Amino acid sequence: MIPNGYLFFEDETFLDSTVAKMNALRKSGQFCDVRLQVCGHELMAHRAVLACCSPYLFEIFNSDIEPHGMSHVTFEDLDPEAVEILLNYAYTAQLKADKELVKAVYSAAKKLKMERVKQICGDYLLSKIDSLSAISFRNFASCMGDGRVLTKIDAYIQEHLLEVSEQEDFLKLPRLKLEVMIEDNLSLPSNGKLYSKVLNWVQRCLWENGDKLDKLMEEVQMLYYSADHRLLDCSHIMEDHGVFSAEEDHNQFVQKNPPRENSSVPRLQSTGSSDSTSPSNTPKSCRREWKYIASEKTTNNTYLCLAVLDGVLCVIFLHSRSSPQGSPSATPCLMKSLSFEVPRESEEHPLTSMHYARSGLGTVALHGRLIAAGGYNREECLRTVECYDPKDDCWTFTAPMRTPRARFQMAVLMGQLYVMGGSNGQSDELSAGETYDPLTDTWAQVPELRTNRCNAGVCALDNTLLVVGGSDPCGQKGLKNCDSFDPVTKTWKNCAPLNIRRHQAAVCELGGYLYAIGGAESWNCLNTVERYNPANNTWTLISPMNVARRGAGVGVYEGKLFVVGGFDGSHALRCVEVYDPARNDWRMLGSMTVARSNAGVAVLGNRICAVGGFDGNNFLNTLEVYRPETDAWSDCVVDVGPSEDVCSSP
């Protein structure tokens, strides 16, 4: 072909032919300028090819003092066969490895920073996971520091814990044996909350009392579950008030310095081998991973749990008894609970509350969990971020935001969390935003908004982030301004303005449209609702709500908008209403158990969750859920067995 007078020819066979010839040259050692020494084996290759595939080798070659000479790179910790497989991949784009070599290929790819190969190997291992290999695969993924693979392996273990517990790898894990005494009129909390208390007790033993994990595992530990729902050492039960003061100090310690599952400090997840990096030899300043993974109630009074304690993968056996007499002589016997065959009588337990009371917080659902960030109480704006796992009914901390902020909203865009604007408690509005990467547990700065604002709506739409309305710089009236952020180019642009000035509006996406619901013009609350169409960049007023409100939360479930709580200008609200876009109408639903303005709302499974807020008198840290099938809100979870999910399908 000769388009526009120029000769143009594309040889479809050239690339394959060239690649094959270059690989043949590599294997014969011709024109090679790099020599890899791998555990006594010598592998020849071409520096330019390897530099294109491996960022690790690129850095080495780029720093060579004599770039035109022969490069020598030595690896003492890689499998020569695995490196040969990666060399073949670098030349042919074909990854061929026997199943016995996949882990070695993964390790070599990690060393050479070949991320695509790591992902392929990780996916292969996940496809082969079963109860026999689960612990082995988890130990490997932990050593590799692969959070993505670890999360999926843990999900598998949660579903198959009893089968996994029967395998040899599981039986070899170090184990912590606990005997818990409880009063006759008390019962232990649900699994997630129970093991949150166990992890806190172990942390106190290690961090405050100076105990060592391997010492705790040498014998059965006697504990006491008090009437005020605390887990205490039996040795302290007879002390007057000293134990309670110590426990109160511990609670403050946990709140001020919460252990994070994804810490940035070095951590170990091993099977408990004793070496220089064991927990007993780790300084207190180097706190490693603490994680509840899965648990089962195996008999009426015996529990089995798999957890990571200070970086060590461990089994926890817990036996409860109401009588303080006697002591177990051995680990409780593992058996399948009778409750799997015979229905038990349901027991209600309060849903676990956040560590901090929060109003004006940012809330989203991400990967089946509820994220609650920032907010304010009577004292200050917060940086802390908490994550609620409905399967365990427990809250854990993730990395805090870079800036304390409240009166903002949060959205999920391309797997990342975005917060924009808000107030830091010192200046009226913020222009800065942040984004959170759940894979690395880190926050990063986002280019600033064109206008400082708080109380703005934030929502993801068509792979962009929209910021809608908010308060003016004086905080006296709402704004019509709408801005769109492109996460790829990291640039802002203007969108069509709202029809009505709004701050503290509830904002969400449904069916490819963006909805701005209620809010206030100045301090006059609105019941009006408008919808944004990105196709023609226009806002259109739709049917108004039954109740005017600002500071409401909103969630989307089964193609409808659920608007929750808020403030009507005089009172915090309990009432809830739902919008059906097919009918363009609103109807009232069952009210919440408490009034909540500026609360967080998110949808987990088939449950709508409302958390935090202000009830008119108090700042709240409580959580409640709405069940559409019963049109009722509840602040309790019905404990009907170890597989019950708090906010997901029964």
Side-chain angles (χ1 to χ4, degrees):
M1 296 177 60
I2 310 178
N4 301 323
Y6 292 95
L7 173 65
F8 177 80
F9 169 71
E10 183 176 3
D11 188 343
E12 296 180 355
T13 65
F14 177 82
L15 184 59
D16 291 340
S17 173
T18 302
V19 164
K21 290 177 181 177
M22 289 184 65
N23 200 32
L25 291 173
R26 173 184 73 84
K27 292 182 176 181
S28 64
Q30 292 180 276
F31 307 118
C32 292
D33 54 0
V34 59
R35 180 180 288 112
L36 305 181
Q37 296 285 346
V38 186
C39 294
H41 292 73
E42 184 175 272
L43 303 173
M44 304 293 289
H46 303 92
R47 179 163 35 193
V49 175
L50 300 191
C52 291
C53 296
S54 167
Y56 176 83
L57 292 175
F58 176 88
E59 294 170 8
I60 291 178
F61 300 152
N62 199 41
S63 62
D64 277 354
I65 299 176
E66 298 181 5
H68 301 296
M70 176 70 74
S71 294
H72 299 265
V73 184
T74 300
F75 298 103
E76 297 295 345
D77 54 350
L78 300 183
D79 187 309
E81 288 187 73
V83 176
E84 172 63 28
I85 289 169
L86 291 181
L87 291 181
N88 193 65
Y89 169 80
Y91 281 79
T92 67
Q94 294 180 346
L95 190 65
K96 298 179 181 179
D98 292 337
K99 60 182 180 180
E100 294 81 8
L101 280 172
V102 173
K103 289 183 179 180
V105 173
Y106 182 108
S107 299
K110 181 181 189 306
K111 178 74 173 181
L112 299 178
K113 299 182 179 180
M114 299 172 70
E115 295 300 323
R116 179 59 175 160
V117 176
K118 270 182 54 183
Q119 180 181 343
I120 296 300
C121 291
D123 290 342
Y124 176 87
L125 293 174
L126 289 171
S127 72
K128 300 299 181 182
I129 192 171
D130 55 21
S131 59
L132 182 64
S133 61
I135 297 299
S136 172
F137 280 4
R138 193 190 193 282
N139 288 333
F140 175 76
S142 177
C143 290
M144 294 295 104
D146 193 326
R148 181 184 72 92
V149 174
L150 269 177
T151 298
K152 294 186 177 182
I153 293 175
D154 287 348
Y156 177 88
I157 293 174
Q158 289 165 10
E159 294 293 328
H160 304 86
L161 180 59
L162 288 180
E163 295 95 323
V164 172
S165 68
E166 297 171 355
Q167 307 305 319
E168 185 177 358
D169 284 346
F170 186 93
L171 298 175
K172 291 179 179 179
L173 292 175
R175 53 195 60 202
L176 177 66
K177 291 164 282 189
L178 306 177
E179 179 86 353
V180 179
M181 294 188 299
I182 58 177
E183 299 292 337
D184 288 336
N185 60 339
L186 292 178
S187 61
L188 290 175
S190 59
N191 286 1
K193 187 183 294 186
L194 172 62
Y195 284 104
S196 175
K197 294 178 183 293
V198 170
L199 263 63
N200 285 340
W201 175 81
V202 178
Q203 288 169 348
R204 179 160 57 92
C205 291
L206 268 59
W207 296 352
E208 296 185 6
N209 301 344
D211 295 335
K212 296 180 180 180
L213 185 59
D214 52 358
K215 293 294 183 183
L216 292 178
M217 294 180 176
E218 288 181 355
E219 58 186 25
V220 176
Q221 300 296 316
M222 303 295 294
L223 305 178
Y224 174 72
Y225 187 61
S226 66
D228 53 355
H229 309 294
R230 289 181 292 182
L231 203 57
L232 310 173
D233 293 327
C234 277
S235 59
H236 294 157
I237 292 177
M238 301 307 295
E239 297 180 12
D240 292 330
H241 296 290
V243 61
F244 298 106
S245 299
E247 186 70 13
E248 289 168 4
D249 289 343
H250 170 57
N251 288 338
Q252 294 175 7
F253 169 77
V254 170
Q255 180 167 326
K256 293 179 181 178
N257 301 284
R260 298 216 320 266
E261 288 191 8
N262 296 313
S263 176
S264 59
V265 299
R267 61 178 184 262
L268 171 70
Q269 291 173 294
S270 69
T271 55
S273 59
S274 58
D275 55 29
S276 60
T277 59
S278 68
S280 60
N281 296 320
T282 303
K284 285 186 180 181
S285 60
C286 182
R287 293 175 183 167
R288 295 173 296 197
E289 186 181 22
W290 296 81
K291 184 178 182 181
Y292 162 87
I293 297 174
S295 62
E296 291 281 8
K297 189 173 183 179
T298 58
T299 68
N300 287 335
N301 58 356
T302 303
Y303 298 78
L304 166 73
C305 173
L306 184 66
V308 180
L309 304 180
D310 200 27
V312 179
L313 185 63
C314 300
V315 178
I316 302 174
F317 282 110
L318 186 148
H319 181 260
S320 66
R321 57 187 175 93
S322 56
S323 171
Q325 300 175 355
S327 175
S329 58
T331 299
C333 182
L334 176 64
M335 64 180 67
K336 193 170 184 180
S337 172
L338 294 177
S339 64
F340 284 94
E341 292 83 29
V342 181
R344 295 188 287 114
E345 182 179 352
S346 297
E347 299 178 6
E348 284 195 346
H349 302 280
L351 289 167
T352 304
S353 298
M354 292 186 292
H355 295 84
Y356 294 97
R358 303 172 187 269
S359 183
L361 66 159
T363 309
V364 297
L366 180 67
H367 304 319
R369 293 173 172 81
L370 188 154
I371 309 295
Y376 60 91
N377 50 38
R378 294 191 187 279
E379 298 175 357
E380 60 182 352
C381 290
L382 303 172
R383 294 176 57 220
T384 54
V385 182
E386 302 187 46
C387 174
Y388 178 75
D389 188 336
K391 291 184 177 180
D392 304 334
D393 182 33
C394 69
W395 291 89
T396 55
F397 286 93
T398 65
M401 294 184 292
R402 298 160 62 100
T403 303
R405 70 179 74 222
R407 302 183 185 276
F408 69 98
Q409 293 182 19
M410 183 161 59
V412 179
L413 177 62
M414 297 182 178
Q416 308 265 312
L417 301 187
Y418 283 81
V419 301
M420 293 305 307
S423 171
N424 62 9
Q426 299 174 356
S427 59
D428 289 335
E429 292 85 16
L430 298 171
S431 60
E434 304 179 42
T435 180
Y436 173 77
D437 185 344
L439 296 179
T440 60
D441 191 31
T442 56
W443 290 86
Q445 193 80 18
V446 174
E448 293 190 350
L449 284 161
R450 302 182 180 199
T451 306
N452 291 18
R453 64 178 95 174
C454 68
N455 294 319
V458 177
C459 185
L461 180 68
D462 289 344
N463 292 326
T464 60
L465 188 77
L466 271 72
V467 179
V468 178
S471 301
D472 72 337
C474 298
Q476 299 298 313
K477 62 181 180 180
L479 299 171
K480 291 186 177 181
N481 306 46
C482 297
D483 296 298
S484 172
F485 177 72
D486 186 330
V488 177
T489 62
K490 301 189 183 304
T491 57
W492 290 95
K493 69 176 183 179
N494 292 328
C495 298
L498 291 160
N499 292 293
I500 300 173
R501 297 177 181 273
R502 298 177 191 270
H503 67 93
Q504 291 192 3
V507 174
C508 70
E509 182 273 339
L510 173 61
Y513 297 97
L514 182 69
Y515 290 80
I517 305 162
E521 286 189 274
S522 54
W523 296 109
N524 297 319
C525 295
L526 303 169
N527 70 342
T528 56
V529 181
E530 45 190 308
R531 180 172 65 194
Y532 175 71
N533 185 349
N536 55 20
N537 190 31
T538 58
W539 288 91
T540 304
L541 287 166
I542 61 173
S543 179
M545 291 185 292
N546 295 289
V547 178
R549 58 183 91 204
R550 60 179 169 88
V554 61
V556 176
Y557 176 69
E558 290 193 341
K560 297 180 176 64
L561 301 176
F562 291 74
V563 177
V564 178
F567 186 75
D568 65 1
S570 301
H571 305 91
L573 301 172
R574 294 173 57 226
C575 61
V576 179
E577 50 189 305
V578 61
Y579 174 74
D580 185 345
R583 299 166 55 92
N584 189 29
D585 67 3
W586 294 84
R587 62 182 177 89
M588 303 303 294
L589 298 175
S591 296
M592 291 185 290
T593 62
V594 296
R596 297 177 189 267
S597 66
N598 293 310
V601 172
V603 178
L604 297 180
N606 62 352
R607 301 291 182 256
I608 298 168
C609 303
V611 64
F614 182 66
D615 67 2
N617 295 303
N618 301 299
F619 292 91
L620 305 174
N621 65 347
T622 56
L623 169 69
E624 59 182 296
V625 299
Y626 174 76
R627 293 170 168 81
E629 67 272 17
T630 61
D631 187 29
W633 289 82
S634 173
D635 57 2
C636 293
V637 55
V638 178
D639 181 12
V640 294
S643 62
E644 170 76 3
D645 289 352
V646 175
C647 294
S648 59
S649 301

